[in-house]
Amino acid sequence: MNTKHKIGAFTLSEMIIVIIITSIIVGMAFSVLTLVQRHMSSIQNNFNKSTELVKLEQSLKIDFNRYSKIAYNEIEDKLIFTSEIDAVVYKFTNDYIIKDLDTFNLSLQHKTVFFDGDKKQSGFIDAIRLETTKALQNQQLFIFKQNDAAQYMN
């Protein structure tokens, strides 16, 4: 009994070609994965910076409307909010803004303070305009408060 049964199998060259094609596909997949991770990281960074800007805006709006006197000290680069009971200070630096225990990681390009519509260097103010750097697309914040009669009397 001499039966020749051929067993179906792949040759060595076919297996090598499959391994080469698979390694090329895996390499391309990792390249795409790296690009997607970089893109997601930049989106996360932009979101974090925008969130910092929104938190600063909300904090300034609350403090502008809560405190009766607002003064800016150009020499120390401080924004000082005072009332009969409490006081809050914003300290501006090149890379961040400090408010008591809060730190806003924002770089500002320009800072302009106003009183009654006129630009001021320092002293009592009722509005502030902050412009961010190019990292945040030069966004601007303008925060103001309505003055009461007591502000003009002092």
Side-chain angles (χ1 to χ4, degrees):
M1 199 169 215
N2 194 3
T3 60
K4 291 186 179 181
H5 287 291
K6 241 183 169 180
I7 299 174
F10 294 105
T11 63
L12 182 60
S13 60
E14 290 173 334
M15 292 300 292
I16 290 174
I17 290 173
V18 167
I19 290 173
I20 291 171
I21 291 173
T22 303
S23 64
I24 291 172
I25 291 172
V26 168
M28 290 188 325
F30 277 116
S31 298
V32 170
L33 177 65
T34 302
L35 290 173
V36 169
Q37 286 176 335
R38 286 184 191 160
H39 187 66
M40 292 302 292
S41 175
S42 66
I43 289 172
Q44 182 68 34
N45 288 338
N46 287 340
F47 177 75
N48 290 341
K49 289 177 184 177
S50 296
T51 303
E52 285 291 315
L53 188 63
V54 168
K55 288 193 308 189
L56 175 63
E57 181 179 22
Q58 289 174 346
S59 180
L60 282 171
K61 281 183 179 179
I62 289 169
D63 289 339
F64 260 81
N65 291 308
R66 179 182 295 165
Y67 293 95
S68 58
K69 293 181 183 175
I70 306 166
Y72 179 70
N73 185 334
E74 183 181 25
I75 296 169
E76 295 179 5
D77 208 8
K78 289 183 179 180
L79 188 60
I80 305 158
F81 296 88
T82 56
S83 69
E84 294 78 22
I85 305 170
D86 195 14
V88 172
V89 177
Y90 286 77
K91 171 73 175 140
F92 296 93
T93 66
N94 290 337
D95 296 327
Y96 50 87
I97 301 165
I98 300 172
K99 173 197 172 189
D100 294 334
L101 299 176
D102 295 331
T103 301
F104 303 99
N105 293 316
L106 294 171
S107 297
L108 297 178
Q109 187 171 4
H110 295 292
K111 177 174 34 298
T112 311
V113 294
F114 301 91
F115 182 74
D116 206 22
D118 298 325
K119 289 184 182 180
K120 296 200 61 174
Q121 295 297 320
S122 60
F124 289 109
I125 66 167
D126 61 1
I128 188 168
R129 178 184 295 135
L130 304 173
E131 184 178 345
T132 63
T133 57
K134 285 187 178 181
L136 281 169
Q137 294 88 24
N138 294 55
Q139 294 184 21
Q140 291 188 4
L141 292 179
F142 185 76
I143 313 293
F144 67 96
K145 71 177 253 172
Q146 297 291 330
N147 289 325
D148 56 355
Q151 189 76 17
Y152 294 106
M153 292 170 58
N154 294 331

